[in-house]
Amino acid sequence: MAKALIVGSVALDTIETPHGTAERILGGSASFGSYAASYFTDVSIVGVVGEDFPPEAIDQFKARGIGVEGLEVREGKTFHWSGRYEYDMNEAHTKATELNVFADFRPKLTAEQRKTPYVFLANIHPQLQLDVLEQMEAPKLVAVDTMNFWIEGFKKELTGVIERCDFLLMNDGEARQFCEKPNLIECGRELRRLGPSTVAIKKGEHGALLFHNGGISFFPSYPVMELKDPTGAGDTFAGALIGYLARKDDTGADNLVRAVQAGTCMASFVVEDFSLTRVANLGPGELRERVAMLREMVRLPEPDEAALESRLASGVL
Ligand code: AMP
């Protein structure tokens, strides 16, 4: 089992969905990512919070075994994101992004953190992602996630991060925005040409496309009945995926597919409630059960070759 280091936002979110509103709840890409990864391996979180950050939330990170030595508490206010979803919960509408203590945060990793083999640079300012990357000593796998906010304002820095990562995650809208192309297959290929050997394009409830050394794979999402708040689904997917790869310490093609299954199912839990409520309270065996159900749901029968043959070719028509 290898360790994982996760850098990203640690936030207080204000969220509106058709199922209700929640104010200043625990959020942030690194929070979701590290909770999800902690189910699989030892995780350390790197980020910053302000004096308004509830100490209980730090205790909850610790209770999940997440290392918080890299989580600074600074004078000022915690990063605050306010977003709204309509019935199409695949799209988040940002109302406000207040960087607060993240505005001038420059992380300084400990000697031990620099040696972590699996690194997830979750969604945050690309310059901060680069700062962390520059301090790492020969990591085995660097995964990167981002968002439209950074593509709009910091594309050059973000491109620098993408060029140096092994595994890039973007959602469909972000991939189209970054590549300035409508077709996702073209986008995936173009993103791989920048550097990462694996690119995941996430399509919310419609699953994910994976571009890797073996070609292109498609993974459906787990069909969720209780969709309350989709915030953090992408970060949870990525965190579980990286945690899984680190636990097995194997980035081979088969393990990658298993990691995506774990990520898909972990993400299906987080959306069932606000914040990290559901992921913090998974019962034993719940994840295993969903992975088994997902496999059952996507089982395809052997094709009936004869039935697929064109009637035209056989001379009937
Ligand atoms: P996701 O739904 O997986 O894209 O992640 C949503 C989380 O990302 C929320 O908890 C926010 O606090 C956080 N977030 C929103 N905007 C940003 C941003 N510009 N940079 C970093 N984190 C953000």
Side-chain angles (χ1 to χ4, degrees):
M1 188 167 93
K3 290 186 179 173
L5 185 75
I6 300 188
V7 56
S9 56
V10 179
L12 293 176
D13 289 342
T14 298
I15 313 278
E16 281 172 47
T17 84
H19 303 286
T21 301
E23 277 192 34
R24 306 189 83 77
I25 51 173
L26 175 62
S29 57
S31 308
F32 287 106
S34 57
Y35 260 62
S38 72
Y39 275 88
F40 303 96
T41 194
D42 290 343
V43 185
S44 282
I45 187 168
V46 175
V48 64
V49 293
E51 294 153 312
D52 55 347
F53 194 71
E56 309 83 74
I58 298 187
D59 292 340
Q60 281 159 18
F61 281 123
K62 289 187 195 158
R64 285 225 50 81
I66 298 165
V68 294
E69 316 76 45
L71 185 62
E72 276 185 42
V73 183
R74 284 234 186 134
E75 213 176 287
K77 286 174 100 180
T78 302
F79 178 102
H80 177 237
W81 180 71
S82 160
R84 177 176 56 81
Y85 301 88
E86 289 168 5
Y87 276 108
D88 175 3
M89 292 219 219
N90 284 323
E91 203 187 341
H93 303 276
T94 295
K95 289 173 77 179
T97 303
E98 295 153 29
L99 293 180
N100 298 329
V101 286
F102 261 106
D104 54 3
F105 174 60
R106 288 283 169 277
K108 180 127 183 37
L109 305 187
T110 63
E112 205 196 325
Q113 286 171 336
R114 287 166 194 249
K115 293 194 179 73
T116 317
Y118 289 80
V119 189
F120 176 31
L121 306 173
N123 174 31
I124 193 61
H125 197 310
Q127 186 54 52
L128 210 153
Q129 296 178 315
L130 267 179
D131 285 349
V132 168
L133 201 49
E134 264 151 26
Q135 295 175 58
M136 298 307 300
E137 293 169 13
K140 278 192 185 169
L141 181 113
V142 176
V144 169
D145 193 5
T146 192
M147 145 175 214
N148 52 6
F149 187 79
W150 307 113
I151 300 173
E152 271 152 35
F154 301 88
K155 190 164 176 186
K156 191 163 151 272
E157 292 87 337
L158 178 60
T159 306
V161 184
I162 294 173
E163 283 168 354
R164 294 176 56 182
C165 81
D166 307 290
F167 194 145
L168 174 67
L169 299 116
M170 273 189 183
N171 71 29
D172 44 3
E174 291 154 3
R176 289 187 174 112
Q177 182 188 8
F178 186 93
C179 298
E180 296 175 18
K181 288 195 169 68
N183 184 285
L184 289 180
I185 308 298
E186 271 191 70
C187 292
R189 291 191 165 143
E190 182 172 318
L191 291 166
R192 269 191 93 218
R193 280 196 293 273
L194 286 178
S197 57
T198 307
V199 171
I201 299 188
K202 301 163 288 170
K203 306 196 305 161
E205 64 181 322
H206 304 300
L209 286 165
L210 200 70
F211 301 79
H212 52 98
N213 286 334
I216 305 175
S217 309
F218 170 68
F219 299 89
S221 302
Y222 183 90
V224 175
M225 300 267 286
E226 298 261 325
L227 178 55
K228 244 192 202 165
D229 172 17
T231 310
D235 310 314
T236 303
F237 171 83
L241 198 155
I242 305 308
Y244 190 97
L245 293 174
R247 179 186 191 133
K248 303 293 289 185
D249 199 7
D250 172 3
T251 56
D254 287 351
N255 204 48
L256 198 62
V257 170
R258 292 197 182 97
V260 174
Q261 285 177 2
T264 297
C265 292
M266 191 62 92
S268 75
F269 287 113
V270 82
V271 301
E272 290 182 347
D273 208 337
F274 284 90
S275 188
L276 282 143
T277 315
R278 185 69 173 99
V279 169
N281 292 298
L282 280 192
E286 274 196 288
L287 181 66
R288 209 178 331 121
E289 215 172 275
R290 274 204 185 172
V291 170
M293 299 256 285
L294 183 68
R295 289 196 65 217
E296 189 60 30
M297 281 187 269
V298 295
R299 206 161 41 114
L300 297 174
E302 285 286 316
D304 178 339
E305 300 292 346
L308 292 175
E309 230 157 67
S310 161
R311 299 184 74 210
L312 194 60
S314 64
V316 176
L317 293 177

